[in-house]
């Protein structure tokens, strides 16, 4: 069983389980999804990340004790990843390093798109400090993406990057997975995007195929 750690607090368990459904659709991996408490806008800056890290570690330990034998940290900033791996004895895959790794392997002109002021650390480490980064206009946190305006702004931002000559966009926010932005890019723009949740699912299926199913 895969334990999924969501960093956006939400009262609707169906919403919390969305990334688990996406992984199951692609890779047939069963999961349990839980969200950390009191992060109603998720992680979007250094302060919100610092508040979230101890909650992530606590939740990871709880999921392991509940019988999960692999964890997915569903946040593309990889917040507290090292601390979480130190705290548990099971494999941990995180969205940011997974997305950046796939983008790097494609060896095409790449940009990172997210909701923070700059590309998160795992993307800068794997794709270079000077990697092109963009944030959709008017989108400052994950919840902004859930509106029609937020979804339209995200697609427009991607279109601008492709028009600049970018061939691959790596998502540095799992909220783009929630709104199926990758599908919209492929269907409406005919371009390539690396979805962070899907990328993590690929690594989970390969690195822990028996423990995660």
């Amino acid at each position: 069983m895969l334990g999924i750690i969501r960093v956006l607090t939400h009262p609707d368990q169906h919403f919390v389980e969305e990334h688990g459904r996406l992984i199951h659709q692609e890779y047939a991996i069963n999961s349990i999804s839980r969200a950390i408490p009191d992060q109603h806008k998720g992680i979007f800056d250094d302060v919100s990340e610092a508040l979230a890290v101890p909650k992530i570690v606590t939740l990871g330990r709880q999921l392991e004790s509940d019988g999960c034998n692999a964890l997915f940290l569903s946040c593309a900033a990889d917040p507290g990843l090292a601390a979480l791996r130190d705290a548990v004895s099971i494999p941990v895959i995180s969205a940011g390093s997974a997305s950046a790794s796939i983008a790097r392997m494609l060896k095409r002109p790449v940009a990172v798109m997210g909701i923070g002021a700059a590309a998160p650390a795992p993307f800068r480490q794997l794709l270079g400090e000077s990697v092109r980064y963009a944030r959709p206009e008017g989108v400052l946190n994950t919840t902004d993406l859930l509106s029609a305006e937020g979804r339209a702004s995200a697609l427009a931002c991607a279109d601008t990057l492709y028009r600049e000559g970018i061939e691959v966009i790596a998502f540095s926010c799992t909220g783009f997975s929630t709104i199926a932005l990758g599908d919209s890019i492929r269907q409406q723009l005919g371009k390539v995007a690396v979805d962070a949740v899907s990328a993590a699912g690929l690594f989970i299926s390969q690195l822990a195929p028996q423990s995660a199913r």
Side-chain angles (χ1 to χ4, degrees):
M1 181 67 68
L2 174 67
I4 299 180
I5 299 172
R6 296 294 307 273
V7 302
L8 174 64
T9 307
H10 200 280
D12 184 353
Q13 184 60 22
H14 184 80
F15 177 91
V16 173
E17 294 172 351
E18 176 62 21
H19 294 170
R21 283 191 294 275
L22 295 174
I23 288 175
H24 188 269
Q25 287 170 8
E26 285 197 67
Y27 304 105
I29 295 172
N30 296 320
S31 64
I32 297 172
S33 298
R34 294 180 187 162
I36 61 174
D38 303 319
Q39 300 267 161
H40 298 283
K41 292 187 177 180
I43 295 175
F44 53 92
D45 59 14
D46 291 343
V47 174
S48 58
E49 180 172 344
L51 290 171
V53 168
K55 303 173 190 177
I56 289 168
V57 171
T58 297
L59 182 52
R61 286 174 171 156
Q62 290 173 352
L63 288 166
E64 182 180 27
S65 68
D66 288 345
C68 292
N69 39 28
L71 296 177
F72 169 38
L73 177 54
S74 188
C75 179
D78 291 0
L81 179 57
L84 178 59
R85 284 177 169 161
D86 286 342
V88 300
S89 60
I90 56 179
V92 181
I93 301 297
S94 192
S97 50
S99 177
S101 294
I102 295 295
R104 183 180 182 182
M105 285 189 288
L106 293 175
K107 298 186 181 298
R108 310 296 292 176
V110 62
V112 177
M113 196 167 83
I115 62 171
F123 292 85
R124 299 195 309 273
Q125 291 165 1
L126 288 168
L127 300 175
E129 288 292 334
S130 62
V131 65
R132 176 76 168 91
Y133 177 75
R135 176 172 62 186
E137 185 176 355
V139 174
L140 301 177
N141 56 65
T142 305
T143 56
D144 291 335
L145 292 170
L146 303 179
S147 67
E149 294 81 6
R151 291 191 293 270
S153 181
L155 187 62
C157 182
D159 188 41
T160 298
L161 289 171
Y162 294 123
R163 291 177 184 276
E164 291 178 359
I166 293 300
E167 295 182 16
V168 175
I169 295 177
F171 294 163
S172 66
C173 175
T174 57
F176 294 139
S177 305
T178 302
I179 65 170
L181 181 60
D183 289 342
S184 297
I185 286 173
R186 286 186 288 273
Q187 294 167 9
Q188 298 184 44
L189 305 180
K191 300 294 185 178
V192 177
V194 180
D195 181 281
V197 171
S198 179
L202 177 61
F203 281 98
I204 292 163
S205 70
Q206 296 299 310
L207 298 179
Q210 299 303 317
S211 63
R213 292 179 191 272

